[in-house]
Amino acid sequence: MKNSKSVIICGGGIVGLSAAYYLAREGFRVTLIERNAEGADSCAQGSAGYISPSHVIPLSAPGMVLKGLKWMLSSRSPFYIQPRLDSDLMRWGWLFARHCTAEHTRRAAPILRDLSLAGRQLFVELADITGHAFELQTEGLLNLCQTQAVLDHEAHGLAAIANELGVEARVLNAAQTAALEPGTKLAIAGSVYFPGDAHFTPRKFMPALTGLLKEMGVQFRWNTTVYGWQTDAGRVTAAHTTAGAFLADEFVLAGGSWSPAMLAGLGLRLPMQAGKGYSLTIEDPRCRLTKSLILTESRVAVTPMGPRLRFGGTMEISGHDDRVRPERIAQIIDAAQAYFPDFTPQDFAGIKPWFGYRPVSPDGLPYIGRFGRPANLTAACGHAMLGLTLAPITGLLVADVLTGRKPRVDLSLLSPNRYA
C-alpha cells in the first residue's frame, strides 16, 4: 500500500518499534528517533516477557489504596512508593486512588481483555514472520499460591473475573500444578492456570523487529533526544532534537516513562510515573520450566527464556532514580527460595541485577489516540506492566488512527486527553 505521508515516532522501545512496523506496512515513510544507542537496554529488555491476557484487572484495583499505604512503609514490599514532595506524584496518587474502585475495574477489564487477546494473536503472526526468532512459547501461565487462603481469594477474584470475560482460568491444587511443571519442586497450595497466556525472550525480539524494520525502509536516528516542538496552526510541524529539527506530517509519542517530559512546550499534561522493576536472570538454572509463573503472594514473575530462567518484579515509584535498592533484590531472591525449596542464595550469587522504568498511568490503562491539539500528535505510551503484551496491538491501533480507519478496539477509555 502506497502512502505519501511521513511520520516520526519519538521513542524506540518495544511500543515505538511496533508502531513503526504497522505504519511502515501501511506505506508511511517512518523515521524513529531514540534517545539511546541501537541495542541499548530498555524497559522491555529485562522484563518478564509476558503476553498476558490473564491481566484483565488494572493496577488501580479495589483495595490497592490500603495496600499501597501499608506497602509504603517497607521498601521490600511488592508496590513501593518512595515518599517525596513532588506535585506530579501527588496528583498521580490522587488520580490513582480515585480509580481504585469496582466500577473502574468493570469498565477497564473488557478493554484490557480485548487489547491483550489481540496482542497475543499479533505476536503469533510476528513469530511466523521473523522465523520464530524470539522464542515465543504458548504454554500458558501459572499463578502460584503458597496458602489456601490466597488460592481461594484468587479463585473468587481474578479467576472468576477472567472466566466471566471469556479468558480461561483453571483453579488447580498442588498435585495438579506439579503435573504441569514436573521439572521442579514447588512449595505451594495450588495455582490458577491461564492456558491462553504466553511468553518470549525480549532481548531477541527487539533486534529481530529492528532488523525487519530496516528491511522495510524505516529510518533510525539513535542517540537522539526530543526536547521540543515547532507548531503552526494547531499542528506540529517539527520535532526539535539534539540532532536538529525533524519535519513530518504525523508524530507519535512512544517515549515510555519519559513521554510526559517530551511534551514540554505544548501545554499538555499526561499523568504518569516511572515504575521501576528489577530482574535477575540465571543462565544455567537447576530446574527446567515450561510455563511462565507468578509467585502470587510476593508479586514476583518467573519466566523460562530458552536455557535461562528470569526472576523479576516489584513496582517502585521513585522517579527516574538509577539507584539499585539491595532490599528489593533480596525480596526477589527470598520469594524464589520460598516457592522453590531447592533454590539457594548461591543460585543468584554474582548475578548483576537489571532494572527498567515502566510508564504507569494512574488508572492502569495506556494512552492511545490523538491528542486533538496538536491535531497530528498521537500517544502510544503509559502501558505500565503490559507494555510487551500490548505493544503490537498499540502499533496496529496507531496505524488505524493515522490512516483514518475506525480503530478495531474502542479507544474512548484510552484517550490521552482524559486528564486534560
Side-chain angles (χ1 to χ4, degrees), residues 141-145 151 170-193 289-294 339-340:
L141 175 144
L142 289 164
N143 277 21
L144 303 182
C145 303
L151 180 60
R170 306 176 196 166
V171 180
L172 308 178
N173 60 30
Q176 292 168 325
T177 304
L180 290 179
E181 284 294 355
T184 188
K185 181 180 178 182
L186 298 170
I188 59 169
S191 68
V192 179
Y193 176 42
L289 300 175
T290 61
K291 299 165 185 62
S292 50
L293 313 174
I294 291 179
Y339 287 79
F340 299 86

PDB file of all heavy atoms in Angstrom, residues 141-145 151 170-193 289-294 339-340:
ATOM      1  N   LEU A 141       0.305 -19.635  31.681  1.00  0.00           N
ATOM      2  CA  LEU A 141       0.893 -19.042  32.884  1.00  0.00           C
ATOM      3  C   LEU A 141       0.224 -19.626  34.121  1.00  0.00           C
ATOM      4  O   LEU A 141      -0.986 -19.867  34.132  1.00  0.00           O
ATOM      5  CB  LEU A 141       0.732 -17.521  32.856  1.00  0.00           C
ATOM      6  CG  LEU A 141       1.176 -16.726  34.095  1.00  0.00           C
ATOM      7  CD1 LEU A 141       1.789 -15.398  33.674  1.00  0.00           C
ATOM      8  CD2 LEU A 141      -0.006 -16.453  35.035  1.00  0.00           C
ATOM      9  N   LEU A 142       1.014 -19.838  35.167  1.00  0.00           N
ATOM     10  CA  LEU A 142       0.514 -20.337  36.447  1.00  0.00           C
ATOM     11  C   LEU A 142       0.699 -19.266  37.520  1.00  0.00           C
ATOM     12  O   LEU A 142       1.815 -18.801  37.756  1.00  0.00           O
ATOM     13  CB  LEU A 142       1.276 -21.596  36.871  1.00  0.00           C
ATOM     14  CG  LEU A 142       1.002 -22.875  36.075  1.00  0.00           C
ATOM     15  CD1 LEU A 142       2.100 -23.901  36.347  1.00  0.00           C
ATOM     16  CD2 LEU A 142      -0.370 -23.445  36.422  1.00  0.00           C
ATOM     17  N   ASN A 143      -0.394 -18.862  38.156  1.00  0.00           N
ATOM     18  CA  ASN A 143      -0.319 -18.015  39.343  1.00  0.00           C
ATOM     19  C   ASN A 143      -0.186 -18.939  40.553  1.00  0.00           C
ATOM     20  O   ASN A 143      -1.166 -19.548  40.983  1.00  0.00           O
ATOM     21  CB  ASN A 143      -1.583 -17.156  39.480  1.00  0.00           C
ATOM     22  CG  ASN A 143      -1.524 -15.899  38.651  1.00  0.00           C
ATOM     23  OD1 ASN A 143      -0.767 -15.803  37.697  1.00  0.00           O
ATOM     24  ND2 ASN A 143      -2.339 -14.915  39.004  1.00  0.00           N
ATOM     25  N   LEU A 144       1.020 -19.062  41.086  1.00  0.00           N
ATOM     26  CA  LEU A 144       1.269 -19.970  42.207  1.00  0.00           C
ATOM     27  C   LEU A 144       0.858 -19.319  43.528  1.00  0.00           C
ATOM     28  O   LEU A 144       1.171 -18.150  43.773  1.00  0.00           O
ATOM     29  CB  LEU A 144       2.751 -20.343  42.261  1.00  0.00           C
ATOM     30  CG  LEU A 144       3.359 -20.981  41.016  1.00  0.00           C
ATOM     31  CD1 LEU A 144       4.826 -21.321  41.268  1.00  0.00           C
ATOM     32  CD2 LEU A 144       2.598 -22.224  40.598  1.00  0.00           C
ATOM     33  N   CYS A 145       0.182 -20.081  44.372  1.00  0.00           N
ATOM     34  CA  CYS A 145      -0.272 -19.584  45.669  1.00  0.00           C
ATOM     35  C   CYS A 145       0.271 -20.491  46.771  1.00  0.00           C
ATOM     36  O   CYS A 145       0.073 -21.714  46.729  1.00  0.00           O
ATOM     37  CB  CYS A 145      -1.796 -19.562  45.739  1.00  0.00           C
ATOM     38  SG  CYS A 145      -2.572 -18.565  44.438  1.00  0.00           S
ATOM     39  N   LEU A 151      -5.126 -18.824  47.529  1.00  0.00           N
ATOM     40  CA  LEU A 151      -5.670 -19.552  46.381  1.00  0.00           C
ATOM     41  C   LEU A 151      -7.181 -19.328  46.278  1.00  0.00           C
ATOM     42  O   LEU A 151      -7.704 -19.087  45.179  1.00  0.00           O
ATOM     43  CB  LEU A 151      -5.353 -21.039  46.509  1.00  0.00           C
ATOM     44  CG  LEU A 151      -5.872 -21.941  45.375  1.00  0.00           C
ATOM     45  CD1 LEU A 151      -5.275 -21.518  44.030  1.00  0.00           C
ATOM     46  CD2 LEU A 151      -5.533 -23.399  45.669  1.00  0.00           C
ATOM     47  N   ARG A 170      -8.192 -21.812  35.180  1.00  0.00           N
ATOM     48  CA  ARG A 170      -8.486 -23.056  35.892  1.00  0.00           C
ATOM     49  C   ARG A 170      -7.810 -23.037  37.254  1.00  0.00           C
ATOM     50  O   ARG A 170      -6.614 -22.757  37.357  1.00  0.00           O
ATOM     51  CB  ARG A 170      -7.964 -24.265  35.107  1.00  0.00           C
ATOM     52  CG  ARG A 170      -8.434 -24.352  33.656  1.00  0.00           C
ATOM     53  CD  ARG A 170      -7.761 -25.538  32.972  1.00  0.00           C
ATOM     54  NE  ARG A 170      -7.851 -25.471  31.527  1.00  0.00           N
ATOM     55  CZ  ARG A 170      -7.134 -26.220  30.694  1.00  0.00           C
ATOM     56  NH1 ARG A 170      -6.246 -27.095  31.203  1.00  0.00           N
ATOM     57  NH2 ARG A 170      -7.274 -26.099  29.384  1.00  0.00           N
ATOM     58  N   VAL A 171      -8.583 -23.343  38.291  1.00  0.00           N
ATOM     59  CA  VAL A 171      -8.031 -23.411  39.643  1.00  0.00           C
ATOM     60  C   VAL A 171      -7.534 -24.835  39.887  1.00  0.00           C
ATOM     61  O   VAL A 171      -8.294 -25.803  39.739  1.00  0.00           O
ATOM     62  CB  VAL A 171      -9.090 -23.021  40.687  1.00  0.00           C
ATOM     63  CG1 VAL A 171      -8.498 -23.092  42.095  1.00  0.00           C
ATOM     64  CG2 VAL A 171      -9.624 -21.616  40.407  1.00  0.00           C
ATOM     65  N   LEU A 172      -6.248 -24.959  40.258  1.00  0.00           N
ATOM     66  CA  LEU A 172      -5.600 -26.264  40.410  1.00  0.00           C
ATOM     67  C   LEU A 172      -5.078 -26.421  41.831  1.00  0.00           C
ATOM     68  O   LEU A 172      -4.654 -25.453  42.466  1.00  0.00           O
ATOM     69  CB  LEU A 172      -4.424 -26.399  39.439  1.00  0.00           C
ATOM     70  CG  LEU A 172      -4.688 -26.097  37.959  1.00  0.00           C
ATOM     71  CD1 LEU A 172      -3.385 -26.235  37.167  1.00  0.00           C
ATOM     72  CD2 LEU A 172      -5.758 -27.020  37.383  1.00  0.00           C
ATOM     73  N   ASN A 173      -5.085 -27.661  42.325  1.00  0.00           N
ATOM     74  CA  ASN A 173      -4.447 -27.931  43.608  1.00  0.00           C
ATOM     75  C   ASN A 173      -2.951 -28.166  43.388  1.00  0.00           C
ATOM     76  O   ASN A 173      -2.455 -28.102  42.260  1.00  0.00           O
ATOM     77  CB  ASN A 173      -5.113 -29.112  44.322  1.00  0.00           C
ATOM     78  CG  ASN A 173      -5.039 -30.413  43.515  1.00  0.00           C
ATOM     79  OD1 ASN A 173      -4.090 -30.617  42.742  1.00  0.00           O
ATOM     80  ND2 ASN A 173      -6.015 -31.282  43.692  1.00  0.00           N
ATOM     81  N   ALA A 174      -2.238 -28.479  44.458  1.00  0.00           N
ATOM     82  CA  ALA A 174      -0.783 -28.624  44.362  1.00  0.00           C
ATOM     83  C   ALA A 174      -0.376 -29.765  43.445  1.00  0.00           C
ATOM     84  O   ALA A 174       0.561 -29.634  42.642  1.00  0.00           O
ATOM     85  CB  ALA A 174      -0.192 -28.824  45.759  1.00  0.00           C
ATOM     86  N   ALA A 175      -1.081 -30.889  43.530  1.00  0.00           N
ATOM     87  CA  ALA A 175      -0.735 -32.047  42.700  1.00  0.00           C
ATOM     88  C   ALA A 175      -0.986 -31.752  41.228  1.00  0.00           C
ATOM     89  O   ALA A 175      -0.179 -32.135  40.355  1.00  0.00           O
ATOM     90  CB  ALA A 175      -1.543 -33.267  43.150  1.00  0.00           C
ATOM     91  N   GLN A 176      -2.102 -31.104  40.920  1.00  0.00           N
ATOM     92  CA  GLN A 176      -2.405 -30.770  39.532  1.00  0.00           C
ATOM     93  C   GLN A 176      -1.397 -29.774  38.970  1.00  0.00           C
ATOM     94  O   GLN A 176      -1.000 -29.864  37.803  1.00  0.00           O
ATOM     95  CB  GLN A 176      -3.827 -30.194  39.446  1.00  0.00           C
ATOM     96  CG  GLN A 176      -4.919 -31.209  39.732  1.00  0.00           C
ATOM     97  CD  GLN A 176      -6.274 -30.551  39.936  1.00  0.00           C
ATOM     98  OE1 GLN A 176      -6.387 -29.447  40.496  1.00  0.00           O
ATOM     99  NE2 GLN A 176      -7.331 -31.218  39.472  1.00  0.00           N
ATOM    100  N   THR A 177      -0.968 -28.845  39.799  1.00  0.00           N
ATOM    101  CA  THR A 177       0.047 -27.885  39.366  1.00  0.00           C
ATOM    102  C   THR A 177       1.377 -28.584  39.105  1.00  0.00           C
ATOM    103  O   THR A 177       2.043 -28.339  38.086  1.00  0.00           O
ATOM    104  CB  THR A 177       0.242 -26.794  40.437  1.00  0.00           C
ATOM    105  OG1 THR A 177      -1.012 -26.176  40.718  1.00  0.00           O
ATOM    106  CG2 THR A 177       1.236 -25.756  39.976  1.00  0.00           C
ATOM    107  N   ALA A 178       1.760 -29.487  40.014  1.00  0.00           N
ATOM    108  CA  ALA A 178       3.022 -30.216  39.849  1.00  0.00           C
ATOM    109  C   ALA A 178       3.018 -31.040  38.575  1.00  0.00           C
ATOM    110  O   ALA A 178       4.062 -31.209  37.925  1.00  0.00           O
ATOM    111  CB  ALA A 178       3.265 -31.103  41.061  1.00  0.00           C
ATOM    112  N   ALA A 179       1.855 -31.556  38.189  1.00  0.00           N
ATOM    113  CA  ALA A 179       1.768 -32.349  36.962  1.00  0.00           C
ATOM    114  C   ALA A 179       2.045 -31.505  35.725  1.00  0.00           C
ATOM    115  O   ALA A 179       2.539 -32.024  34.711  1.00  0.00           O
ATOM    116  CB  ALA A 179       0.384 -32.996  36.870  1.00  0.00           C
ATOM    117  N   LEU A 180       1.749 -30.197  35.803  1.00  0.00           N
ATOM    118  CA  LEU A 180       2.016 -29.305  34.668  1.00  0.00           C
ATOM    119  C   LEU A 180       3.463 -28.834  34.635  1.00  0.00           C
ATOM    120  O   LEU A 180       3.957 -28.421  33.591  1.00  0.00           O
ATOM    121  CB  LEU A 180       1.089 -28.085  34.733  1.00  0.00           C
ATOM    122  CG  LEU A 180      -0.396 -28.339  34.442  1.00  0.00           C
ATOM    123  CD1 LEU A 180      -1.191 -27.043  34.579  1.00  0.00           C
ATOM    124  CD2 LEU A 180      -0.593 -28.921  33.046  1.00  0.00           C
ATOM    125  N   GLU A 181       4.133 -28.865  35.783  1.00  0.00           N
ATOM    126  CA  GLU A 181       5.544 -28.469  35.861  1.00  0.00           C
ATOM    127  C   GLU A 181       6.334 -29.537  36.618  1.00  0.00           C
ATOM    128  O   GLU A 181       6.766 -29.343  37.761  1.00  0.00           O
ATOM    129  CB  GLU A 181       5.687 -27.108  36.554  1.00  0.00           C
ATOM    130  CG  GLU A 181       5.309 -25.915  35.693  1.00  0.00           C
ATOM    131  CD  GLU A 181       6.249 -25.709  34.512  1.00  0.00           C
ATOM    132  OE1 GLU A 181       7.261 -26.440  34.393  1.00  0.00           O
ATOM    133  OE2 GLU A 181       5.978 -24.814  33.707  1.00  0.00           O
ATOM    134  N   PRO A 182       6.523 -30.706  36.013  1.00  0.00           N
ATOM    135  CA  PRO A 182       7.187 -31.805  36.720  1.00  0.00           C
ATOM    136  C   PRO A 182       8.686 -31.613  36.911  1.00  0.00           C
ATOM    137  O   PRO A 182       9.325 -32.379  37.643  1.00  0.00           O
ATOM    138  CB  PRO A 182       6.912 -33.007  35.819  1.00  0.00           C
ATOM    139  CG  PRO A 182       6.761 -32.421  34.450  1.00  0.00           C
ATOM    140  CD  PRO A 182       6.101 -31.093  34.652  1.00  0.00           C
ATOM    141  N   GLY A 183       9.256 -30.594  36.277  1.00  0.00           N
ATOM    142  CA  GLY A 183      10.706 -30.418  36.330  1.00  0.00           C
ATOM    143  C   GLY A 183      11.222 -29.692  37.545  1.00  0.00           C
ATOM    144  O   GLY A 183      12.424 -29.417  37.631  1.00  0.00           O
ATOM    145  N   THR A 184      10.349 -29.369  38.498  1.00  0.00           N
ATOM    146  CA  THR A 184      10.815 -28.649  39.677  1.00  0.00           C
ATOM    147  C   THR A 184       9.925 -28.961  40.875  1.00  0.00           C
ATOM    148  O   THR A 184       8.774 -29.379  40.727  1.00  0.00           O
ATOM    149  CB  THR A 184      10.816 -27.125  39.427  1.00  0.00           C
ATOM    150  OG1 THR A 184      11.432 -26.456  40.515  1.00  0.00           O
ATOM    151  CG2 THR A 184       9.407 -26.598  39.252  1.00  0.00           C
ATOM    152  N   LYS A 185      10.456 -28.742  42.065  1.00  0.00           N
ATOM    153  CA  LYS A 185       9.704 -28.917  43.299  1.00  0.00           C
ATOM    154  C   LYS A 185       9.121 -27.569  43.708  1.00  0.00           C
ATOM    155  O   LYS A 185       9.835 -26.563  43.736  1.00  0.00           O
ATOM    156  CB  LYS A 185      10.620 -29.452  44.396  1.00  0.00           C
ATOM    157  CG  LYS A 185       9.935 -29.690  45.731  1.00  0.00           C
ATOM    158  CD  LYS A 185      10.935 -30.216  46.757  1.00  0.00           C
ATOM    159  CE  LYS A 185      10.288 -30.423  48.120  1.00  0.00           C
ATOM    160  NZ  LYS A 185      11.284 -30.888  49.129  1.00  0.00           N
ATOM    161  N   LEU A 186       7.825 -27.538  44.041  1.00  0.00           N
ATOM    162  CA  LEU A 186       7.142 -26.304  44.390  1.00  0.00           C
ATOM    163  C   LEU A 186       6.535 -26.403  45.786  1.00  0.00           C
ATOM    164  O   LEU A 186       5.908 -27.408  46.119  1.00  0.00           O
ATOM    165  CB  LEU A 186       6.028 -25.997  43.382  1.00  0.00           C
ATOM    166  CG  LEU A 186       6.452 -25.771  41.924  1.00  0.00           C
ATOM    167  CD1 LEU A 186       5.234 -25.712  41.016  1.00  0.00           C
ATOM    168  CD2 LEU A 186       7.266 -24.485  41.810  1.00  0.00           C
ATOM    169  N   ALA A 187       6.696 -25.360  46.586  1.00  0.00           N
ATOM    170  CA  ALA A 187       6.095 -25.297  47.917  1.00  0.00           C
ATOM    171  C   ALA A 187       4.855 -24.415  47.832  1.00  0.00           C
ATOM    172  O   ALA A 187       4.895 -23.211  48.116  1.00  0.00           O
ATOM    173  CB  ALA A 187       7.089 -24.735  48.927  1.00  0.00           C
ATOM    174  N   ILE A 188       3.735 -25.014  47.412  1.00  0.00           N
ATOM    175  CA  ILE A 188       2.517 -24.241  47.159  1.00  0.00           C
ATOM    176  C   ILE A 188       1.284 -25.019  47.605  1.00  0.00           C
ATOM    177  O   ILE A 188       1.335 -26.238  47.804  1.00  0.00           O
ATOM    178  CB  ILE A 188       2.372 -23.913  45.657  1.00  0.00           C
ATOM    179  CG1 ILE A 188       2.328 -25.201  44.815  1.00  0.00           C
ATOM    180  CG2 ILE A 188       3.485 -22.991  45.190  1.00  0.00           C
ATOM    181  CD1 ILE A 188       1.937 -24.994  43.380  1.00  0.00           C
ATOM    182  N   ALA A 189       0.177 -24.286  47.737  1.00  0.00           N
ATOM    183  CA  ALA A 189      -1.120 -24.920  47.996  1.00  0.00           C
ATOM    184  C   ALA A 189      -1.853 -25.216  46.696  1.00  0.00           C
ATOM    185  O   ALA A 189      -2.706 -26.103  46.640  1.00  0.00           O
ATOM    186  CB  ALA A 189      -1.976 -24.013  48.871  1.00  0.00           C
ATOM    187  N   GLY A 190      -1.508 -24.472  45.649  1.00  0.00           N
ATOM    188  CA  GLY A 190      -2.159 -24.654  44.352  1.00  0.00           C
ATOM    189  C   GLY A 190      -1.862 -23.477  43.452  1.00  0.00           C
ATOM    190  O   GLY A 190      -0.941 -22.688  43.710  1.00  0.00           O
ATOM    191  N   SER A 191      -2.655 -23.354  42.393  1.00  0.00           N
ATOM    192  CA  SER A 191      -2.394 -22.297  41.419  1.00  0.00           C
ATOM    193  C   SER A 191      -3.650 -21.991  40.623  1.00  0.00           C
ATOM    194  O   SER A 191      -4.630 -22.743  40.664  1.00  0.00           O
ATOM    195  CB  SER A 191      -1.277 -22.715  40.454  1.00  0.00           C
ATOM    196  OG  SER A 191      -1.726 -23.789  39.633  1.00  0.00           O
ATOM    197  N   VAL A 192      -3.598 -20.895  39.912  1.00  0.00           N
ATOM    198  CA  VAL A 192      -4.588 -20.591  38.878  1.00  0.00           C
ATOM    199  C   VAL A 192      -3.856 -20.639  37.545  1.00  0.00           C
ATOM    200  O   VAL A 192      -2.848 -19.945  37.354  1.00  0.00           O
ATOM    201  CB  VAL A 192      -5.234 -19.216  39.086  1.00  0.00           C
ATOM    202  CG1 VAL A 192      -6.234 -18.933  37.964  1.00  0.00           C
ATOM    203  CG2 VAL A 192      -5.932 -19.137  40.443  1.00  0.00           C
ATOM    204  N   TYR A 193      -4.351 -21.480  36.663  1.00  0.00           N
ATOM    205  CA  TYR A 193      -3.699 -21.699  35.365  1.00  0.00           C
ATOM    206  C   TYR A 193      -4.442 -20.941  34.281  1.00  0.00           C
ATOM    207  O   TYR A 193      -5.663 -21.077  34.133  1.00  0.00           O
ATOM    208  CB  TYR A 193      -3.678 -23.197  35.053  1.00  0.00           C
ATOM    209  CG  TYR A 193      -3.124 -23.574  33.694  1.00  0.00           C
ATOM    210  CD1 TYR A 193      -1.987 -22.960  33.180  1.00  0.00           C
ATOM    211  CD2 TYR A 193      -3.731 -24.582  32.941  1.00  0.00           C
ATOM    212  CE1 TYR A 193      -1.470 -23.319  31.954  1.00  0.00           C
ATOM    213  CE2 TYR A 193      -3.220 -24.955  31.707  1.00  0.00           C
ATOM    214  CZ  TYR A 193      -2.095 -24.318  31.210  1.00  0.00           C
ATOM    215  OH  TYR A 193      -1.587 -24.681  29.988  1.00  0.00           O
ATOM    216  N   LEU A 289      11.578 -25.149  33.461  1.00  0.00           N
ATOM    217  CA  LEU A 289      10.156 -24.838  33.445  1.00  0.00           C
ATOM    218  C   LEU A 289       9.656 -24.746  32.006  1.00  0.00           C
ATOM    219  O   LEU A 289      10.428 -24.460  31.087  1.00  0.00           O
ATOM    220  CB  LEU A 289       9.888 -23.505  34.151  1.00  0.00           C
ATOM    221  CG  LEU A 289      10.287 -23.402  35.626  1.00  0.00           C
ATOM    222  CD1 LEU A 289      10.058 -21.980  36.122  1.00  0.00           C
ATOM    223  CD2 LEU A 289       9.502 -24.397  36.462  1.00  0.00           C
ATOM    224  N   THR A 290       8.378 -24.976  31.839  1.00  0.00           N
ATOM    225  CA  THR A 290       7.774 -24.845  30.505  1.00  0.00           C
ATOM    226  C   THR A 290       6.844 -23.642  30.414  1.00  0.00           C
ATOM    227  O   THR A 290       6.548 -23.179  29.320  1.00  0.00           O
ATOM    228  CB  THR A 290       6.966 -26.109  30.153  1.00  0.00           C
ATOM    229  OG1 THR A 290       5.914 -26.285  31.116  1.00  0.00           O
ATOM    230  CG2 THR A 290       7.857 -27.341  30.142  1.00  0.00           C
ATOM    231  N   LYS A 291       6.384 -23.154  31.564  1.00  0.00           N
ATOM    232  CA  LYS A 291       5.407 -22.074  31.594  1.00  0.00           C
ATOM    233  C   LYS A 291       5.956 -20.885  32.372  1.00  0.00           C
ATOM    234  O   LYS A 291       6.837 -21.029  33.208  1.00  0.00           O
ATOM    235  CB  LYS A 291       4.092 -22.559  32.243  1.00  0.00           C
ATOM    236  CG  LYS A 291       3.433 -23.695  31.492  1.00  0.00           C
ATOM    237  CD  LYS A 291       2.378 -24.376  32.328  1.00  0.00           C
ATOM    238  CE  LYS A 291       1.834 -25.581  31.581  1.00  0.00           C
ATOM    239  NZ  LYS A 291       2.907 -26.597  31.338  1.00  0.00           N
ATOM    240  N   SER A 292       5.389 -19.730  32.113  1.00  0.00           N
ATOM    241  CA  SER A 292       5.694 -18.578  32.949  1.00  0.00           C
ATOM    242  C   SER A 292       4.881 -18.681  34.234  1.00  0.00           C
ATOM    243  O   SER A 292       3.807 -19.298  34.264  1.00  0.00           O
ATOM    244  CB  SER A 292       5.379 -17.274  32.211  1.00  0.00           C
ATOM    245  OG  SER A 292       4.074 -17.298  31.665  1.00  0.00           O
ATOM    246  N   LEU A 293       5.408 -18.102  35.305  1.00  0.00           N
ATOM    247  CA  LEU A 293       4.793 -18.219  36.624  1.00  0.00           C
ATOM    248  C   LEU A 293       4.698 -16.844  37.277  1.00  0.00           C
ATOM    249  O   LEU A 293       5.495 -15.952  36.993  1.00  0.00           O
ATOM    250  CB  LEU A 293       5.626 -19.123  37.543  1.00  0.00           C
ATOM    251  CG  LEU A 293       6.121 -20.466  37.025  1.00  0.00           C
ATOM    252  CD1 LEU A 293       7.045 -21.104  38.048  1.00  0.00           C
ATOM    253  CD2 LEU A 293       4.949 -21.382  36.728  1.00  0.00           C
ATOM    254  N   ILE A 294       3.732 -16.705  38.166  1.00  0.00           N
ATOM    255  CA  ILE A 294       3.681 -15.565  39.075  1.00  0.00           C
ATOM    256  C   ILE A 294       3.638 -16.111  40.491  1.00  0.00           C
ATOM    257  O   ILE A 294       2.800 -16.972  40.808  1.00  0.00           O
ATOM    258  CB  ILE A 294       2.460 -14.667  38.811  1.00  0.00           C
ATOM    259  CG1 ILE A 294       2.611 -13.949  37.466  1.00  0.00           C
ATOM    260  CG2 ILE A 294       2.300 -13.637  39.938  1.00  0.00           C
ATOM    261  CD1 ILE A 294       1.447 -13.052  37.115  1.00  0.00           C
ATOM    262  N   TYR A 339       9.176 -20.370  47.241  1.00  0.00           N
ATOM    263  CA  TYR A 339       8.331 -21.172  46.352  1.00  0.00           C
ATOM    264  C   TYR A 339       9.073 -22.361  45.750  1.00  0.00           C
ATOM    265  O   TYR A 339       8.460 -23.363  45.399  1.00  0.00           O
ATOM    266  CB  TYR A 339       7.795 -20.302  45.207  1.00  0.00           C
ATOM    267  CG  TYR A 339       6.727 -19.315  45.613  1.00  0.00           C
ATOM    268  CD1 TYR A 339       7.056 -18.119  46.241  1.00  0.00           C
ATOM    269  CD2 TYR A 339       5.385 -19.562  45.353  1.00  0.00           C
ATOM    270  CE1 TYR A 339       6.086 -17.201  46.599  1.00  0.00           C
ATOM    271  CE2 TYR A 339       4.403 -18.648  45.699  1.00  0.00           C
ATOM    272  CZ  TYR A 339       4.759 -17.468  46.332  1.00  0.00           C
ATOM    273  OH  TYR A 339       3.789 -16.564  46.689  1.00  0.00           O
ATOM    274  N   PHE A 340      10.390 -22.206  45.589  1.00  0.00           N
ATOM    275  CA  PHE A 340      11.231 -23.265  45.025  1.00  0.00           C
ATOM    276  C   PHE A 340      12.211 -23.711  46.105  1.00  0.00           C
ATOM    277  O   PHE A 340      13.304 -23.142  46.229  1.00  0.00           O
ATOM    278  CB  PHE A 340      12.000 -22.769  43.799  1.00  0.00           C
ATOM    279  CG  PHE A 340      11.144 -22.310  42.653  1.00  0.00           C
ATOM    280  CD1 PHE A 340      10.673 -21.007  42.595  1.00  0.00           C
ATOM    281  CD2 PHE A 340      10.813 -23.174  41.621  1.00  0.00           C
ATOM    282  CE1 PHE A 340       9.893 -20.573  41.537  1.00  0.00           C
ATOM    283  CE2 PHE A 340      10.037 -22.756  40.554  1.00  0.00           C
ATOM    284  CZ  PHE A 340       9.567 -21.447  40.519  1.00  0.00           C
TER     285      PHE A 340
END
